[in-house]
Every structure is written in structure tokens, then in C-alpha cells.
Amino acid sequence: MNDRKYAELIIKEALKIKKGSILVINANTEVLPFVREVAEQAYEAGAAEVKVNMRDEILQRLNAANMSEERLAHFGTYHLDEAIDYAEDGACYLSITGGDPDLLKGIDPKRIALASKTAGAVMKPAMKYTMNDMNSWCVVGYPTKAWAKKVFPDFSDEESIQKLKEEIYKTVRLDREDPIAAWNEHLDILTKRANKLNDMNLDRLHYTTKKGTDLTIGLPKGHIWVGAISTDDRGTEFLPNLPTEEIFSAPDKNRVDGVVYSTKPLNLDGSLVDHFKVVFKEGKAVEVNAKVGEQNLKDLIKTDEGSCYLGEVALVSVESPINRSGLVFMNTLFDENASCHLAFGAAYPTCVKGGEKMSDEELAALGINDSQKHVDFMVGDETLEITGYDAEGKAYKIFENGDFVI
């Protein structure tokens, strides 16, 4: 297992970069050597351009703590112009996550929310290119020192980074004798389960756990359960996440009622939110309580009109190798692939038949949520039971003891 193999998997299997492709990479300065490896692999595959956007966490924290509120409330539209220019040229997108889970700890949550809301409002028109799968995109992880020390605090910096890297390699099946064959087998299982759910034509789901979750989630007419594979407007299949263990769809934003309890920490804009519950009434989050990071969560659901409604419902077995590792990664990409999860904010229009070609008004009529945010949070554990019901009230057991029974 090495970085070159990982980069090859991303370029050749996840994004399928080919002659003439444009690749946009968003990453942390600490992982620059790996970014260079990915860029090299992309050019070897025939890429026409690799555009790299780097962010530095030390500067990010300095800005969050010290920038004037006037400048926090300003985000130049040139960022949007550049993003749309690349998207219209058919760019593929790679985001490399792995920052410090406590990066913005101790900083006023209202400053964090202001900066996030401002940037989100400006960049929202660019979201459609990935949310609608118009362009190929993929999110992957790579270890940084602060993240690795959070997951493996009892080891030296070097040892913790190496241990986290090995765990990441395992989650993307690079530890298998034939990683590509292992991926094909895994993707086939996810696709077959998604097809079974689609055949049920469900109207709603009911969640319960011993923690106290008792939640009913309505599903839109014509909803689609999606496995790991997506297809962009140019007909290229891609994997939006590495790793990926989920089958997901969009809820009817107006038909969510009850209470749900979190089962893993949420890394929200550089601050951890943990041990929280959310109460929904007619789709809207009307109450949130958290032992850690409550204000951050409250600010999230006040970002815009849609941020207090759900935009995703995703099913992940507790038998996921990520969950069975016993690790809490403190990183949403990995923790969401260890647990059933939901998401505040925008839904993927591709989760309803013909949704990628519908107008905003048509999507809204189906209950497809719209927001500048999309934030996953984990709700699954070994006690999770999910029962699906069709429009006639016929019951289908989907999950027992945190695992699929279909």
C-alpha cells in the first residue's frame, strides 16, 4: 500500500480521468505532496489541466479569529465566476479532506457562521454542477498531523499519521490482493440493494433506536435510491466518495416528524458537535440540544430557509469495515460511511426521477429541499431498526440491529 496506488485509484477508478479532462483539486497545504502525486497521475492519464486550490489551516484560524466582521461578511463574486467557468468547461472535482477537527475550537460560533453563510450564499449557483451530477466529483481523505493525533492520541506524530494512513487505505480496499476486483464486488452489492429498495416504491421510513430515536421520514413520489456509482452529463461514471458504503435518497422535506439522536461526533466547519438530538415537526427542525457544540448546530439550521430541513437519507450497515474498525474518525466522510446518516440542507435532485432536469419550482413541489448547506450527521448504531411502508401501508423490514435485512 502506498500513495501512488491511492492516487491511481482516485484518478483511474473514482474520477476516470482521460485525455482532455480538466481536474480541480481542493486540499489542505499539509497534504501538498499527495496533491502532487494525484496531479502527476492525472497528467499521465491525459488530463489537459490540473487546477489546485490550497487552503492553509493556520491562516484559516487566524482569519476566523481576527478578520473584521465587515470582511467576514464579504465574499468576492470572482470566486463564483472562476468556479462556473471551470464547471462549464466540464471540469472534474476532487476534494481532499483531513483537517484538524478542532481547528476553530474556542472561536465565537457566530463569526464562523457568518463567514460560512456569506461564502455559501455567493457560491450557491455553483452547487448545481455537483449536486445535479452535471460534473464528476469525488471526496477522499488524507491524514494530517492534527487529525491523526485526534484519532490516535497515544502515539507520536509520525506514528499516528502512519496509522491513520493505513486505516484510510483499508477503507478504500487498498489492502486487498486485488483492490479493483474488491471494489467491483462491493459496488455490485450496493447497486443490488438500491434496486431492491426502488422496487418497494416506499412512501415513508420509520427509525427507532435504544438511544431514543423515533423518527418518521416521508419519501417523495418518484424517489430513487442511489448506490455508489453516479453518471455525469457527459456519460462518465464516477464515485462521489472514497470510501463509500451508503445507499441514499432524498426525503420529502415536509414529512419528517419525531426525534433523532446522533451516534457519532459531527465535524462542523472546524468545530465538533457531539451528543445531540434533533426534534422535527412537519419537516422542520424545531429543537436541537447538544452536549458539545450546541450553538454551532443552532447556527447551522438558521443559515437559510432550507438548512433546518433534511436533504438526504442514507443507509449504511454496521457491518461496514469502517464501523467494524472501531475507530471514530472525527471526519464526516469516514464516519458517515460507518453509520446510517441524514443531512441538513440541500437534497440531490438526482434522487428523484428526472430531477436533474427539473426547475426549482418542480423540485420544491415534490418536497426536494434546497439550501446553500449540505451537512451529514450520523444516526445509526447496532440497535437501529428501520421499517419502510408503501402508500397502501404494507410494511417492509429494511434494518434490524443496525444491518440490512434485504
Side-chain angles (χ1 to χ4, degrees):
M1 295 189 291
N2 56 48
D3 283 356
R4 183 174 180 81
K5 291 292 184 184
Y6 190 19
E8 285 180 355
L9 181 68
I10 294 166
I11 293 300
K12 295 180 180 179
E13 299 300 324
L15 287 172
K16 293 182 171 60
I17 298 297
K18 54 186 179 295
K19 185 175 177 59
S21 294
I22 300 170
L23 176 62
V24 177
I25 304 175
N26 297 297
N28 188 318
T29 52
E30 195 175 333
V31 303
L32 182 56
F34 182 63
V35 172
R36 291 170 178 153
E37 183 67 64
V38 172
E40 184 177 346
Q41 291 292 318
Y43 279 126
E44 286 184 8
E49 179 187 357
V50 178
K51 161 72 172 174
V52 179
N53 301 316
M54 302 299 294
R55 65 184 182 279
D56 183 80
E57 288 197 329
I58 294 174
L59 292 174
Q60 187 179 343
R61 182 175 175 87
L62 282 170
N63 286 335
N66 300 289
M67 190 181 291
S68 72
E69 286 199 13
E70 180 183 4
R71 295 309 295 176
L72 281 176
H74 173 81
F75 192 83
T77 55
Y78 65 88
H79 294 288
L80 177 63
D81 294 338
E82 180 181 79
I84 290 180
D85 185 59
Y86 273 97
E88 289 292 331
D89 281 345
C92 305
Y93 295 90
L94 176 66
S95 294
I96 304 176
T97 73
D100 181 356
D102 290 320
L103 177 65
L104 303 183
K105 184 177 181 179
I107 293 177
D108 184 353
K110 293 191 181 302
R111 289 179 59 83
I112 299 170
L114 175 61
S116 178
K117 182 177 181 178
T118 301
V122 171
M123 297 303 293
K124 190 174 185 300
M127 287 178 63
K128 67 179 182 179
Y129 294 96
T130 51
M131 294 297 291
N132 290 30
D133 290 345
M134 296 167 67
N135 297 54
S136 296
W137 56 281
C138 185
V139 183
V140 304
Y142 195 84
T144 58
K145 183 175 72 173
W147 179 27
K149 289 291 286 184
K150 190 76 176 179
V151 180
F152 296 106
D154 298 328
F155 295 85
S156 69
D157 292 351
E158 185 176 335
E159 288 172 330
S160 62
I161 290 172
Q162 186 58 38
K163 287 182 72 66
L164 182 55
K165 183 181 290 189
E166 289 171 0
E167 292 296 334
I168 290 173
Y169 285 161
K170 289 177 184 177
T171 69
V172 296
R173 292 170 168 77
L174 283 178
D175 61 330
R176 309 294 178 87
E177 184 175 343
D178 187 340
I180 303 305
W183 265 106
N184 289 335
E185 179 183 358
H186 174 58
L187 296 175
D188 185 57
I189 291 171
L190 292 178
T191 300
K192 287 179 178 177
R193 281 180 172 159
N195 290 339
K196 287 182 179 180
L197 285 166
N198 286 325
D199 289 342
M200 293 176 187
N201 194 25
L202 298 172
D203 172 71
R204 61 193 182 277
L205 301 171
H206 182 225
Y207 286 55
T208 60
T209 68
K210 287 186 178 179
K211 265 194 160 189
T213 291
D214 186 353
L215 187 71
T216 299
I217 301 174
L219 298 169
K221 290 182 179 179
H223 71 275
I224 300 170
W225 290 95
V226 181
I229 304 172
S230 296
T231 304
D232 68 19
D233 276 2
R234 293 152 193 84
T236 301
E237 290 187 342
F238 65 96
L239 301 179
N241 290 342
L242 279 182
T244 184
E245 302 287 336
E246 67 180 314
I247 299 165
F248 66 96
S249 191
D252 180 339
K253 62 170 284 189
N254 301 305
R255 295 198 297 133
V256 181
D257 292 277
V259 60
V260 64
Y261 285 78
S262 68
T263 54
K264 292 181 184 291
L266 166 62
N267 186 353
L268 179 58
D269 293 330
S271 300
L272 284 179
V273 181
D274 201 4
H275 302 294
F276 61 92
K277 76 169 185 178
V278 186
V279 178
F280 290 90
K281 184 176 182 180
E282 297 180 352
K284 186 175 183 178
V286 295
E287 178 186 341
V288 296
N289 301 105
K291 291 184 179 179
V292 178
E294 182 174 297
Q295 188 59 51
N296 299 83
L297 194 59
K298 288 181 175 179
D299 289 336
L300 165 67
I301 65 172
K302 294 177 183 176
T303 302
D304 59 20
E305 186 177 342
S307 59
C308 60
Y309 292 88
L310 293 183
E312 182 182 350
V313 51
L315 306 179
V316 180
S317 169
V318 292
E319 296 302 324
S320 154
I322 303 172
N323 188 56
R324 288 304 176 209
S325 73
L327 294 174
V328 176
F329 281 83
M330 305 288 182
N331 178 287
T332 300
L333 171 65
F334 294 88
D335 290 331
E336 74 170 5
N337 280 291
S339 170
C340 284
H341 54 277
L342 306 171
F344 287 114
Y348 293 101
T350 51
C351 288
V352 65
K353 292 176 182 176
E356 66 275 13
K357 303 301 181 184
M358 290 182 182
S359 67
D360 292 344
E361 292 75 19
E362 289 172 319
L363 290 167
L366 290 172
I368 303 301
N369 196 28
D370 183 37
S371 173
Q372 61 175 261
K373 306 296 286 187
H374 180 92
V375 177
D376 299 280
F377 62 100
M378 287 57 75
V379 301
D381 61 16
E382 284 77 2
T383 71
L384 176 62
E385 308 278 325
I386 304 177
T387 303
Y389 297 89
D390 64 19
E392 285 72 45
K394 182 179 178 181
Y396 298 84
K397 183 63 74 173
I398 310 297
F399 259 60
E400 284 184 352
N401 301 317
D403 195 10
F404 285 99
V405 290
I406 60 170

